Structure formats: structure tokens, C-alpha cells
Amino acid sequence: MIKNSSLRDRSTLLVLFLVPLSSMAVLIGNFSLFDAVLIAFILVFGIKYKGDYTSSAAYFLAVYAVCFFSIVIIVEYGIYEDAVQSLGQLLYILLFLPFVIQSMFTSYKLENFLRGVLLVSLFLSLALLISPLVDNPFIKFDLVSRYQPRTSGTTAIYIIAFSYMSFLYSKRKLNIWYFSGFLLFSLAAVYLTGQRSMLLGLLLILMVVALRRGVILGCILLAVTVIVSVFLAVEFSLSSRLTDNLFSDSYRITIIMELFESISAEPLKVITGWGVGLWTSREFNQEPHNNFLHLITDYGIFVAMFYSLIVYRFAFSFFKFRGNQNGSRIFYVMVTLGAMPYYMTHTYSLERGNIFLFMVVSFYFLKEYKSSVWSSRFNR
């Protein structure tokens, strides 16, 4: 086991740059080159079994809930391919990633992590912006209006990077020109992908900036952002999902209403779920476009709660923790608001990139929360 800290830090930065490729370089089944790199990191630098992530009660309850209700699903519905594949990925997320993350980032500064994600977002934006002009292996065009990244973790990358830049600007550590430039650069990429939830997330983060730096300045930034973004989308005929169908996806509400009807007919299914992939809308043949509700249909409410608690732990930033002298709580609030539209309007995805990055933010939040609470108690 190597104990060279500088080599460990450089290896951690390399892992961050490999996150977008985690869905591309697939070796066998769902096992990718990214997974192989994570295993190699553990073999070279060792694994940290005890840490802020895996020592929490929520972690053990999450693992227990997934295992228990998975057995219930297997007993009731039998073994089938979708269930085995989904369960394998879920256990990978809950049993493997927390140990990897706390081994990798315990001694890695939060600021270094955020700078790494910022660099990744800039490279991804560049790849998106040149896509209309030059074919590249990282982006595909859907032949209608969207340029879809073949990379993984796009949502988390932009939300975390923009939250970091907004945090610096709100703390007066970044001037308005750099902030505005990054904002427009990010929005151009968002419009190319046609991600409405990501656009709404960025706007929610901007609202926090407005409250921190002044309502007038924030409103000006918000208005200019919306006007410029819509102009670009219309002028270049980009992302009709944003300009034409921004609020017209009423079928998602219909799906959720169908789910509530199913719950009223079979209330016990809220606890056990209907089985992985076995509940879909009668009219649209789709799962509910909401992470929490989709998890309920597959595994039940307990798995939905504990899974969300493990991956999105930073959402507890809304409950102010003591001893937070550097104001980093505002950063976690920004990430929470940015991720909220994605969580509420998408089916849950076991995509490595988004989950890995959100779990890293949760790890840093949990680490800071525990240290601040300990410090406040110790200094009484």
C-alpha cells in the first residue's frame, strides 16, 4: 500500500476527469474502465473501512433495507434479469462506493475537488459548443434539436460547478465578469442538451445569489440570463424542448396520478414496492418521473428514503449546523436547490457519474457537519 499523499491527490484528480467516461468505456456488462480505476485505487492506496460515511446509522439502515426488500421482491416475483441487474447496481452503490469515496477524499480538500469538477465542466462545455460544427465521440445529435452527451454525470457536473462559482461570487471572491462568463458558457451547454431540469436548477441557484449579493443585481443577472438564453435557443433553433415545451409535459402528472390510484388500490405496495420495472403507467408505459416515487414503485418507501439519504445527504444543509464559520453551508444549499428539479422530475438512474459526484458532496457535507457539531459541543 502506497502512502504518498501527493500521488494520492493526483490520482484522485485523475479519477474526477474519468467520471464523464464511466458510461463509455464499458468492459463487461455494466463494469466499466471507471470501476476498474476505482478498484485499482483501493488496491494501490488501501481502503478506509471506518469513516464519516459508513459509520452512520443511516448507512447501515440503507444497506439492510435494500437487502431485505430485495429478498421480498425475489420471493414474490422470482428472479428476472431487470431485478438482478438493478439490485447489483444498487448494492454496488451502497456497499462499494461509500468505502471508495471516504478512502479517496478523506484527506483531499473540498476546494480541490470543486476545482476539479469546474475544470471537467469547462471541458464538457467546450465539447458541446463545438458539436454543431465538428463531430466528436463525446456528443451525439438526436436528429431533432438536442446534443446529448455520451458522457456520464453531466447534471451533477454542472450543478456542482455552478454552485461553486456562485458560492465564490456570493462571498465576493469572484468578480461579476468571470461569474457572468461562466454562467453564459454553462447555459449555452445546457441549452444544447435540452435539459430543462438543469436549467431550472441553475436559475434556483441564481436566486440564492440574488439574496446574498442584492436583489437588484440578482434580478438583472436573472433577466439577462433568461433573455440571452431564449434568444440563442430561438435564433439557432436549438432545444425545442426548452422553447416550445417547457411547461407542457402534462403526461408526467398523469403518470403520477395513476401511481396514486394504484397506491389507493394496494396500499401495502408502498412498503414492498411492485418489483423492479414491474409498475408502469397504463397510458404511457413509463415509470413516474420522480426519483422518490420511482424508487417506491421498485423497492418500497424504506429503500427510497434510505437511498436518498445516502446519495443526497447534503440536502440536510437546510438545517443549520453549529460551528459553520466559513459559510460553506450556503454552498450545500445551492447544490441542493440545483439538484432538486433533477430529483423531482426524473426517474431514478443508477448512472455512475451523477451518483458518484453527488455522493462525494454528501461525504464532504457529512464530514463537516460532524466536525462542526463535535467542535460546538467540545467548546461549550
Side-chain angles (χ1 to χ4, degrees):
M1 184 177 69
I2 299 176
K3 296 185 178 181
N4 189 316
S5 59
S6 62
L7 178 60
R8 174 190 286 267
D9 289 348
R10 287 195 295 269
S11 300
T12 301
L13 182 61
L14 174 63
V15 170
L16 289 178
F17 275 91
L18 289 176
V19 167
L21 305 179
S22 58
S23 62
M24 295 179 64
V26 177
L27 301 178
I28 302 173
N30 290 316
F31 187 80
S32 68
L33 178 62
F34 179 71
D35 301 319
V37 170
L38 293 182
I39 293 174
F41 185 96
I42 293 299
L43 293 176
V44 172
F45 296 104
I47 189 168
K48 186 176 178 63
Y49 290 102
K50 294 183 179 180
D52 295 317
Y53 223 141
T54 57
S55 61
S56 64
Y59 173 74
F60 289 102
L61 288 172
V63 174
Y64 175 80
V66 170
C67 292
F68 176 79
F69 287 104
S70 298
I71 293 172
V72 171
I73 290 171
I74 290 173
V75 170
E76 185 169 354
Y77 302 106
I79 299 175
Y80 54 99
E81 184 178 354
D82 287 347
V84 172
Q85 184 177 0
S86 178
L87 175 60
Q89 292 186 70
L90 202 57
L91 291 176
Y92 168 90
I93 292 166
L94 295 177
L95 292 178
F96 180 65
L97 283 187
F99 292 100
V100 172
I101 288 170
Q102 67 186 17
S103 300
M104 190 176 294
F105 292 98
T106 294
S107 59
Y108 197 72
K109 293 181 179 180
L110 172 61
E111 188 175 5
N112 291 338
F113 164 73
L114 295 175
R115 286 175 177 173
V117 175
L118 179 62
L119 286 174
V120 173
S121 75
L122 292 174
F123 280 116
L124 184 56
S125 293
L126 183 61
L128 280 164
L129 291 173
I130 65 173
S131 295
L133 305 174
V134 180
D135 290 335
N136 68 77
F138 303 108
I139 311 295
K140 66 178 179 179
F141 184 54
D142 68 355
L143 303 179
V144 179
S145 62
R146 300 175 66 189
Y147 290 86
Q148 299 174 324
R150 291 189 175 94
T151 54
S152 179
T154 304
T155 299
I157 288 169
Y158 279 109
I159 288 172
I160 294 170
F162 189 66
S163 296
Y164 175 51
M165 294 294 279
S166 298
F167 173 73
L168 292 179
Y169 178 66
S170 68
K171 299 285 288 183
R172 302 182 186 276
K173 295 182 179 181
L174 188 72
N175 68 52
I176 191 171
W177 300 111
Y178 283 113
F179 178 69
S180 301
F182 181 78
L183 171 61
L184 292 176
F185 201 55
S186 299
L187 281 170
V190 169
Y191 265 87
L192 284 169
T193 62
Q195 289 292 334
R196 293 167 293 184
S197 61
M198 194 152 52
L199 173 63
L200 182 56
L202 298 186
L203 294 178
L204 288 174
I205 295 170
L206 269 179
M207 290 177 61
V208 179
V209 174
L211 293 174
R212 298 283 295 179
R213 288 297 303 267
V215 176
I216 295 177
L217 180 60
C219 289
I220 292 173
L221 273 174
L222 187 63
V224 171
T225 298
V226 173
I227 292 170
V228 172
S229 301
V230 172
F231 171 77
L232 288 173
V234 174
E235 183 70 18
F236 296 103
S237 300
L238 298 175
S239 297
S240 60
R241 298 175 78 246
L242 295 172
T243 55
D244 301 334
N245 304 312
L246 184 58
F247 301 107
S248 62
D249 278 354
S250 58
Y251 77 92
R252 299 191 181 194
I253 298 176
T254 303
I255 294 173
I256 292 175
M257 295 304 295
E258 283 191 35
L259 174 59
F260 288 152
E261 291 175 6
S262 298
I263 291 174
S264 64
E266 300 177 278
L268 287 179
K269 293 295 185 182
V270 174
I271 298 176
T272 62
W274 279 265
V276 178
L278 297 182
W279 189 95
T280 56
S281 164
R282 296 184 301 273
E283 185 175 350
F284 299 102
N285 195 32
Q286 293 184 26
E287 298 88 354
H289 287 245
N290 177 287
N291 271 245
F292 193 76
L293 294 178
H294 188 192
L295 281 163
I296 287 177
T297 62
D298 281 4
Y299 294 98
I301 193 169
F302 291 108
V303 174
M305 286 192 301
F306 290 121
Y307 171 86
S308 300
L309 184 62
I310 293 297
V311 178
Y312 301 97
R313 193 66 171 268
F314 51 81
F316 281 81
S317 56
F318 280 100
F319 303 96
K320 187 174 183 179
F321 48 93
R322 301 165 183 167
N324 183 225
Q325 301 298 326
N326 61 0
S328 59
R329 172 177 172 261
I330 299 300
F331 164 73
Y332 296 113
V333 169
M334 288 177 174
V335 176
T336 301
L337 290 173
M340 194 179 298
Y342 168 77
Y343 183 87
M344 295 179 66
T345 61
H346 284 257
T347 56
Y348 82 87
S349 170
L350 300 180
E351 181 193 77
R352 299 281 198 276
N354 282 328
I355 290 173
F356 180 82
L357 292 173
F358 281 138
M359 287 181 72
V360 172
V361 176
S362 291
F363 168 75
Y364 279 115
F365 168 75
L366 189 60
K367 180 181 178 182
E368 186 169 347
Y369 173 80
K370 287 189 173 183
S371 64
S372 65
V373 170
W374 169 258
S375 176
S376 66
R377 288 177 178 173
F378 183 76
N379 292 321
R380 284 179 181 177

PDB file of all heavy atoms in Angstrom, residues 74-101:
ATOM      1  N   ILE A  74     -37.709 -10.830  -4.684  1.00  0.00           N
ATOM      2  CA  ILE A  74     -37.330 -12.097  -5.308  1.00  0.00           C
ATOM      3  C   ILE A  74     -38.314 -13.207  -4.930  1.00  0.00           C
ATOM      4  O   ILE A  74     -38.727 -14.015  -5.771  1.00  0.00           O
ATOM      5  CB  ILE A  74     -35.893 -12.475  -4.890  1.00  0.00           C
ATOM      6  CG1 ILE A  74     -34.890 -11.506  -5.545  1.00  0.00           C
ATOM      7  CG2 ILE A  74     -35.576 -13.914  -5.294  1.00  0.00           C
ATOM      8  CD1 ILE A  74     -33.466 -11.685  -5.059  1.00  0.00           C
ATOM      9  N   VAL A  75     -38.703 -13.225  -3.637  1.00  0.00           N
ATOM     10  CA  VAL A  75     -39.649 -14.250  -3.180  1.00  0.00           C
ATOM     11  C   VAL A  75     -40.996 -14.096  -3.876  1.00  0.00           C
ATOM     12  O   VAL A  75     -41.623 -15.072  -4.302  1.00  0.00           O
ATOM     13  CB  VAL A  75     -39.816 -14.191  -1.648  1.00  0.00           C
ATOM     14  CG1 VAL A  75     -40.972 -15.069  -1.200  1.00  0.00           C
ATOM     15  CG2 VAL A  75     -38.525 -14.605  -0.964  1.00  0.00           C
ATOM     16  N   GLU A  76     -41.451 -12.852  -4.013  1.00  0.00           N
ATOM     17  CA  GLU A  76     -42.787 -12.613  -4.555  1.00  0.00           C
ATOM     18  C   GLU A  76     -42.834 -12.696  -6.075  1.00  0.00           C
ATOM     19  O   GLU A  76     -43.783 -13.222  -6.649  1.00  0.00           O
ATOM     20  CB  GLU A  76     -43.303 -11.242  -4.108  1.00  0.00           C
ATOM     21  CG  GLU A  76     -44.738 -10.978  -4.528  1.00  0.00           C
ATOM     22  CD  GLU A  76     -45.318  -9.751  -3.859  1.00  0.00           C
ATOM     23  OE1 GLU A  76     -44.633  -9.168  -2.978  1.00  0.00           O
ATOM     24  OE2 GLU A  76     -46.451  -9.369  -4.208  1.00  0.00           O
ATOM     25  N   TYR A  77     -41.793 -12.190  -6.755  1.00  0.00           N
ATOM     26  CA  TYR A  77     -41.847 -12.102  -8.218  1.00  0.00           C
ATOM     27  C   TYR A  77     -40.840 -13.005  -8.921  1.00  0.00           C
ATOM     28  O   TYR A  77     -40.850 -13.086 -10.152  1.00  0.00           O
ATOM     29  CB  TYR A  77     -41.602 -10.643  -8.660  1.00  0.00           C
ATOM     30  CG  TYR A  77     -42.595  -9.666  -8.084  1.00  0.00           C
ATOM     31  CD1 TYR A  77     -42.215  -8.794  -7.057  1.00  0.00           C
ATOM     32  CD2 TYR A  77     -43.904  -9.622  -8.530  1.00  0.00           C
ATOM     33  CE1 TYR A  77     -43.120  -7.891  -6.507  1.00  0.00           C
ATOM     34  CE2 TYR A  77     -44.818  -8.722  -7.982  1.00  0.00           C
ATOM     35  CZ  TYR A  77     -44.417  -7.861  -6.985  1.00  0.00           C
ATOM     36  OH  TYR A  77     -45.312  -6.981  -6.443  1.00  0.00           O
ATOM     37  N   GLY A  78     -39.974 -13.667  -8.145  1.00  0.00           N
ATOM     38  CA  GLY A  78     -38.985 -14.536  -8.755  1.00  0.00           C
ATOM     39  C   GLY A  78     -37.764 -13.771  -9.229  1.00  0.00           C
ATOM     40  O   GLY A  78     -37.668 -12.549  -9.097  1.00  0.00           O
ATOM     41  N   ILE A  79     -36.814 -14.485  -9.779  1.00  0.00           N
ATOM     42  CA  ILE A  79     -35.572 -13.882 -10.266  1.00  0.00           C
ATOM     43  C   ILE A  79     -35.711 -13.589 -11.759  1.00  0.00           C
ATOM     44  O   ILE A  79     -35.998 -14.475 -12.550  1.00  0.00           O
ATOM     45  CB  ILE A  79     -34.376 -14.822 -10.022  1.00  0.00           C
ATOM     46  CG1 ILE A  79     -34.210 -15.083  -8.517  1.00  0.00           C
ATOM     47  CG2 ILE A  79     -33.093 -14.222 -10.588  1.00  0.00           C
ATOM     48  CD1 ILE A  79     -33.132 -16.086  -8.191  1.00  0.00           C
ATOM     49  N   TYR A  80     -35.523 -12.347 -12.122  1.00  0.00           N
ATOM     50  CA  TYR A  80     -35.567 -11.967 -13.535  1.00  0.00           C
ATOM     51  C   TYR A  80     -34.463 -10.951 -13.805  1.00  0.00           C
ATOM     52  O   TYR A  80     -33.930 -10.315 -12.894  1.00  0.00           O
ATOM     53  CB  TYR A  80     -36.940 -11.417 -13.932  1.00  0.00           C
ATOM     54  CG  TYR A  80     -37.452 -10.281 -13.084  1.00  0.00           C
ATOM     55  CD1 TYR A  80     -37.337  -8.968 -13.517  1.00  0.00           C
ATOM     56  CD2 TYR A  80     -38.071 -10.521 -11.849  1.00  0.00           C
ATOM     57  CE1 TYR A  80     -37.815  -7.916 -12.743  1.00  0.00           C
ATOM     58  CE2 TYR A  80     -38.547  -9.479 -11.082  1.00  0.00           C
ATOM     59  CZ  TYR A  80     -38.418  -8.174 -11.537  1.00  0.00           C
ATOM     60  OH  TYR A  80     -38.874  -7.139 -10.773  1.00  0.00           O
ATOM     61  N   GLU A  81     -34.125 -10.782 -15.066  1.00  0.00           N
ATOM     62  CA  GLU A  81     -32.912 -10.051 -15.456  1.00  0.00           C
ATOM     63  C   GLU A  81     -32.891  -8.620 -14.933  1.00  0.00           C
ATOM     64  O   GLU A  81     -31.885  -8.162 -14.374  1.00  0.00           O
ATOM     65  CB  GLU A  81     -32.782 -10.043 -16.983  1.00  0.00           C
ATOM     66  CG  GLU A  81     -31.494  -9.381 -17.472  1.00  0.00           C
ATOM     67  CD  GLU A  81     -31.369  -9.433 -18.984  1.00  0.00           C
ATOM     68  OE1 GLU A  81     -32.221 -10.085 -19.636  1.00  0.00           O
ATOM     69  OE2 GLU A  81     -30.435  -8.813 -19.514  1.00  0.00           O
ATOM     70  N   ASP A  82     -33.986  -7.871 -15.101  1.00  0.00           N
ATOM     71  CA  ASP A  82     -34.007  -6.468 -14.676  1.00  0.00           C
ATOM     72  C   ASP A  82     -33.770  -6.335 -13.179  1.00  0.00           C
ATOM     73  O   ASP A  82     -33.054  -5.431 -12.724  1.00  0.00           O
ATOM     74  CB  ASP A  82     -35.342  -5.818 -15.049  1.00  0.00           C
ATOM     75  CG  ASP A  82     -35.467  -5.564 -16.539  1.00  0.00           C
ATOM     76  OD1 ASP A  82     -34.433  -5.653 -17.232  1.00  0.00           O
ATOM     77  OD2 ASP A  82     -36.586  -5.285 -17.014  1.00  0.00           O
ATOM     78  N   ALA A  83     -34.385  -7.243 -12.408  1.00  0.00           N
ATOM     79  CA  ALA A  83     -34.241  -7.180 -10.949  1.00  0.00           C
ATOM     80  C   ALA A  83     -32.806  -7.458 -10.531  1.00  0.00           C
ATOM     81  O   ALA A  83     -32.244  -6.759  -9.675  1.00  0.00           O
ATOM     82  CB  ALA A  83     -35.187  -8.173 -10.288  1.00  0.00           C
ATOM     83  N   VAL A  84     -32.194  -8.473 -11.128  1.00  0.00           N
ATOM     84  CA  VAL A  84     -30.819  -8.836 -10.789  1.00  0.00           C
ATOM     85  C   VAL A  84     -29.862  -7.705 -11.145  1.00  0.00           C
ATOM     86  O   VAL A  84     -28.983  -7.327 -10.366  1.00  0.00           O
ATOM     87  CB  VAL A  84     -30.407 -10.144 -11.499  1.00  0.00           C
ATOM     88  CG1 VAL A  84     -28.917 -10.411 -11.297  1.00  0.00           C
ATOM     89  CG2 VAL A  84     -31.234 -11.312 -10.980  1.00  0.00           C
ATOM     90  N   GLN A  85     -30.043  -7.133 -12.330  1.00  0.00           N
ATOM     91  CA  GLN A  85     -29.160  -6.050 -12.786  1.00  0.00           C
ATOM     92  C   GLN A  85     -29.314  -4.812 -11.905  1.00  0.00           C
ATOM     93  O   GLN A  85     -28.317  -4.217 -11.475  1.00  0.00           O
ATOM     94  CB  GLN A  85     -29.473  -5.708 -14.240  1.00  0.00           C
ATOM     95  CG  GLN A  85     -28.545  -4.655 -14.832  1.00  0.00           C
ATOM     96  CD  GLN A  85     -28.842  -4.405 -16.300  1.00  0.00           C
ATOM     97  OE1 GLN A  85     -29.729  -4.999 -16.884  1.00  0.00           O
ATOM     98  NE2 GLN A  85     -28.094  -3.501 -16.893  1.00  0.00           N
ATOM     99  N   SER A  86     -30.557  -4.432 -11.624  1.00  0.00           N
ATOM    100  CA  SER A  86     -30.801  -3.249 -10.803  1.00  0.00           C
ATOM    101  C   SER A  86     -30.302  -3.445  -9.381  1.00  0.00           C
ATOM    102  O   SER A  86     -29.681  -2.552  -8.798  1.00  0.00           O
ATOM    103  CB  SER A  86     -32.294  -2.912 -10.800  1.00  0.00           C
ATOM    104  OG  SER A  86     -32.560  -1.795  -9.982  1.00  0.00           O
ATOM    105  N   LEU A  87     -30.568  -4.627  -8.809  1.00  0.00           N
ATOM    106  CA  LEU A  87     -30.122  -4.906  -7.449  1.00  0.00           C
ATOM    107  C   LEU A  87     -28.594  -4.889  -7.375  1.00  0.00           C
ATOM    108  O   LEU A  87     -28.017  -4.353  -6.423  1.00  0.00           O
ATOM    109  CB  LEU A  87     -30.650  -6.259  -6.987  1.00  0.00           C
ATOM    110  CG  LEU A  87     -30.157  -6.746  -5.625  1.00  0.00           C
ATOM    111  CD1 LEU A  87     -30.550  -5.758  -4.535  1.00  0.00           C
ATOM    112  CD2 LEU A  87     -30.705  -8.131  -5.328  1.00  0.00           C
ATOM    113  N   GLY A  88     -27.942  -5.469  -8.386  1.00  0.00           N
ATOM    114  CA  GLY A  88     -26.477  -5.472  -8.406  1.00  0.00           C
ATOM    115  C   GLY A  88     -25.906  -4.063  -8.414  1.00  0.00           C
ATOM    116  O   GLY A  88     -24.954  -3.759  -7.679  1.00  0.00           O
ATOM    117  N   GLN A  89     -26.497  -3.178  -9.217  1.00  0.00           N
ATOM    118  CA  GLN A  89     -26.021  -1.794  -9.271  1.00  0.00           C
ATOM    119  C   GLN A  89     -26.312  -1.052  -7.970  1.00  0.00           C
ATOM    120  O   GLN A  89     -25.492  -0.247  -7.508  1.00  0.00           O
ATOM    121  CB  GLN A  89     -26.673  -1.071 -10.446  1.00  0.00           C
ATOM    122  CG  GLN A  89     -26.228  -1.586 -11.809  1.00  0.00           C
ATOM    123  CD  GLN A  89     -26.794  -0.753 -12.934  1.00  0.00           C
ATOM    124  OE1 GLN A  89     -26.416   0.389 -13.137  1.00  0.00           O
ATOM    125  NE2 GLN A  89     -27.730  -1.326 -13.679  1.00  0.00           N
ATOM    126  N   LEU A  90     -27.474  -1.339  -7.375  1.00  0.00           N
ATOM    127  CA  LEU A  90     -27.828  -0.670  -6.127  1.00  0.00           C
ATOM    128  C   LEU A  90     -26.880  -1.075  -5.001  1.00  0.00           C
ATOM    129  O   LEU A  90     -26.436  -0.233  -4.207  1.00  0.00           O
ATOM    130  CB  LEU A  90     -29.275  -1.017  -5.756  1.00  0.00           C
ATOM    131  CG  LEU A  90     -30.011  -0.054  -4.819  1.00  0.00           C
ATOM    132  CD1 LEU A  90     -30.031   1.350  -5.406  1.00  0.00           C
ATOM    133  CD2 LEU A  90     -31.434  -0.536  -4.584  1.00  0.00           C
ATOM    134  N   LEU A  91     -26.556  -2.356  -4.919  1.00  0.00           N
ATOM    135  CA  LEU A  91     -25.617  -2.823  -3.904  1.00  0.00           C
ATOM    136  C   LEU A  91     -24.206  -2.294  -4.178  1.00  0.00           C
ATOM    137  O   LEU A  91     -23.452  -2.004  -3.241  1.00  0.00           O
ATOM    138  CB  LEU A  91     -25.610  -4.360  -3.852  1.00  0.00           C
ATOM    139  CG  LEU A  91     -26.892  -4.997  -3.307  1.00  0.00           C
ATOM    140  CD1 LEU A  91     -26.812  -6.517  -3.398  1.00  0.00           C
ATOM    141  CD2 LEU A  91     -27.141  -4.559  -1.872  1.00  0.00           C
ATOM    142  N   TYR A  92     -23.857  -2.154  -5.446  1.00  0.00           N
ATOM    143  CA  TYR A  92     -22.567  -1.552  -5.816  1.00  0.00           C
ATOM    144  C   TYR A  92     -22.488  -0.126  -5.261  1.00  0.00           C
ATOM    145  O   TYR A  92     -21.472   0.294  -4.711  1.00  0.00           O
ATOM    146  CB  TYR A  92     -22.438  -1.550  -7.337  1.00  0.00           C
ATOM    147  CG  TYR A  92     -21.304  -0.709  -7.877  1.00  0.00           C
ATOM    148  CD1 TYR A  92     -20.043  -1.259  -8.080  1.00  0.00           C
ATOM    149  CD2 TYR A  92     -21.502   0.624  -8.212  1.00  0.00           C
ATOM    150  CE1 TYR A  92     -19.011  -0.485  -8.589  1.00  0.00           C
ATOM    151  CE2 TYR A  92     -20.472   1.399  -8.720  1.00  0.00           C
ATOM    152  CZ  TYR A  92     -19.233   0.843  -8.910  1.00  0.00           C
ATOM    153  OH  TYR A  92     -18.204   1.606  -9.401  1.00  0.00           O
ATOM    154  N   ILE A  93     -23.592   0.613  -5.398  1.00  0.00           N
ATOM    155  CA  ILE A  93     -23.635   1.998  -4.928  1.00  0.00           C
ATOM    156  C   ILE A  93     -23.552   2.064  -3.408  1.00  0.00           C
ATOM    157  O   ILE A  93     -22.837   2.893  -2.846  1.00  0.00           O
ATOM    158  CB  ILE A  93     -24.918   2.696  -5.435  1.00  0.00           C
ATOM    159  CG1 ILE A  93     -24.846   2.877  -6.948  1.00  0.00           C
ATOM    160  CG2 ILE A  93     -25.131   4.037  -4.745  1.00  0.00           C
ATOM    161  CD1 ILE A  93     -26.174   3.230  -7.577  1.00  0.00           C
ATOM    162  N   LEU A  94     -24.257   1.175  -2.717  1.00  0.00           N
ATOM    163  CA  LEU A  94     -24.342   1.249  -1.269  1.00  0.00           C
ATOM    164  C   LEU A  94     -23.205   0.527  -0.542  1.00  0.00           C
ATOM    165  O   LEU A  94     -22.810   0.926   0.548  1.00  0.00           O
ATOM    166  CB  LEU A  94     -25.681   0.683  -0.793  1.00  0.00           C
ATOM    167  CG  LEU A  94     -26.927   1.463  -1.230  1.00  0.00           C
ATOM    168  CD1 LEU A  94     -28.184   0.746  -0.763  1.00  0.00           C
ATOM    169  CD2 LEU A  94     -26.907   2.883  -0.698  1.00  0.00           C
ATOM    170  N   LEU A  95     -22.672  -0.542  -1.139  1.00  0.00           N
ATOM    171  CA  LEU A  95     -21.651  -1.341  -0.466  1.00  0.00           C
ATOM    172  C   LEU A  95     -20.225  -1.004  -0.893  1.00  0.00           C
ATOM    173  O   LEU A  95     -19.281  -1.219  -0.128  1.00  0.00           O
ATOM    174  CB  LEU A  95     -21.904  -2.834  -0.712  1.00  0.00           C
ATOM    175  CG  LEU A  95     -23.144  -3.424  -0.068  1.00  0.00           C
ATOM    176  CD1 LEU A  95     -23.284  -4.892  -0.441  1.00  0.00           C
ATOM    177  CD2 LEU A  95     -23.083  -3.276   1.445  1.00  0.00           C
ATOM    178  N   PHE A  96     -20.065  -0.471  -2.102  1.00  0.00           N
ATOM    179  CA  PHE A  96     -18.717  -0.233  -2.625  1.00  0.00           C
ATOM    180  C   PHE A  96     -18.352   1.249  -2.651  1.00  0.00           C
ATOM    181  O   PHE A  96     -17.309   1.651  -2.123  1.00  0.00           O
ATOM    182  CB  PHE A  96     -18.609  -0.838  -4.030  1.00  0.00           C
ATOM    183  CG  PHE A  96     -17.258  -0.650  -4.676  1.00  0.00           C
ATOM    184  CD1 PHE A  96     -16.123  -1.242  -4.141  1.00  0.00           C
ATOM    185  CD2 PHE A  96     -17.132   0.126  -5.817  1.00  0.00           C
ATOM    186  CE1 PHE A  96     -14.880  -1.071  -4.732  1.00  0.00           C
ATOM    187  CE2 PHE A  96     -15.899   0.302  -6.418  1.00  0.00           C
ATOM    188  CZ  PHE A  96     -14.769  -0.296  -5.880  1.00  0.00           C
ATOM    189  N   LEU A  97     -19.210   2.071  -3.249  1.00  0.00           N
ATOM    190  CA  LEU A  97     -18.866   3.479  -3.435  1.00  0.00           C
ATOM    191  C   LEU A  97     -18.594   4.242  -2.132  1.00  0.00           C
ATOM    192  O   LEU A  97     -17.659   5.045  -2.086  1.00  0.00           O
ATOM    193  CB  LEU A  97     -19.955   4.192  -4.243  1.00  0.00           C
ATOM    194  CG  LEU A  97     -19.965   3.935  -5.752  1.00  0.00           C
ATOM    195  CD1 LEU A  97     -20.978   4.841  -6.444  1.00  0.00           C
ATOM    196  CD2 LEU A  97     -18.581   4.170  -6.357  1.00  0.00           C
ATOM    197  N   PRO A  98     -19.377   4.042  -1.045  1.00  0.00           N
ATOM    198  CA  PRO A  98     -19.064   4.790   0.185  1.00  0.00           C
ATOM    199  C   PRO A  98     -17.657   4.537   0.704  1.00  0.00           C
ATOM    200  O   PRO A  98     -16.981   5.468   1.153  1.00  0.00           O
ATOM    201  CB  PRO A  98     -20.125   4.282   1.175  1.00  0.00           C
ATOM    202  CG  PRO A  98     -21.265   3.872   0.318  1.00  0.00           C
ATOM    203  CD  PRO A  98     -20.633   3.269  -0.903  1.00  0.00           C
ATOM    204  N   PHE A  99     -17.189   3.282   0.644  1.00  0.00           N
ATOM    205  CA  PHE A  99     -15.835   2.970   1.101  1.00  0.00           C
ATOM    206  C   PHE A  99     -14.792   3.598   0.185  1.00  0.00           C
ATOM    207  O   PHE A  99     -13.765   4.108   0.643  1.00  0.00           O
ATOM    208  CB  PHE A  99     -15.642   1.457   1.177  1.00  0.00           C
ATOM    209  CG  PHE A  99     -16.440   0.795   2.250  1.00  0.00           C
ATOM    210  CD1 PHE A  99     -17.629   0.148   1.959  1.00  0.00           C
ATOM    211  CD2 PHE A  99     -16.018   0.840   3.573  1.00  0.00           C
ATOM    212  CE1 PHE A  99     -18.376  -0.453   2.952  1.00  0.00           C
ATOM    213  CE2 PHE A  99     -16.758   0.238   4.581  1.00  0.00           C
ATOM    214  CZ  PHE A  99     -17.949  -0.408   4.268  1.00  0.00           C
ATOM    215  N   VAL A 100     -15.055   3.561  -1.121  1.00  0.00           N
ATOM    216  CA  VAL A 100     -14.126   4.165  -2.074  1.00  0.00           C
ATOM    217  C   VAL A 100     -14.041   5.671  -1.850  1.00  0.00           C
ATOM    218  O   VAL A 100     -12.954   6.256  -1.823  1.00  0.00           O
ATOM    219  CB  VAL A 100     -14.568   3.875  -3.526  1.00  0.00           C
ATOM    220  CG1 VAL A 100     -13.716   4.661  -4.517  1.00  0.00           C
ATOM    221  CG2 VAL A 100     -14.478   2.385  -3.815  1.00  0.00           C
ATOM    222  N   ILE A 101     -15.193   6.314  -1.686  1.00  0.00           N
ATOM    223  CA  ILE A 101     -15.234   7.770  -1.551  1.00  0.00           C
ATOM    224  C   ILE A 101     -14.530   8.234  -0.288  1.00  0.00           C
ATOM    225  O   ILE A 101     -13.738   9.185  -0.316  1.00  0.00           O
ATOM    226  CB  ILE A 101     -16.698   8.264  -1.593  1.00  0.00           C
ATOM    227  CG1 ILE A 101     -17.235   8.145  -3.021  1.00  0.00           C
ATOM    228  CG2 ILE A 101     -16.814   9.703  -1.104  1.00  0.00           C
ATOM    229  CD1 ILE A 101     -18.722   8.377  -3.157  1.00  0.00           C
TER     230      ILE A 101
END
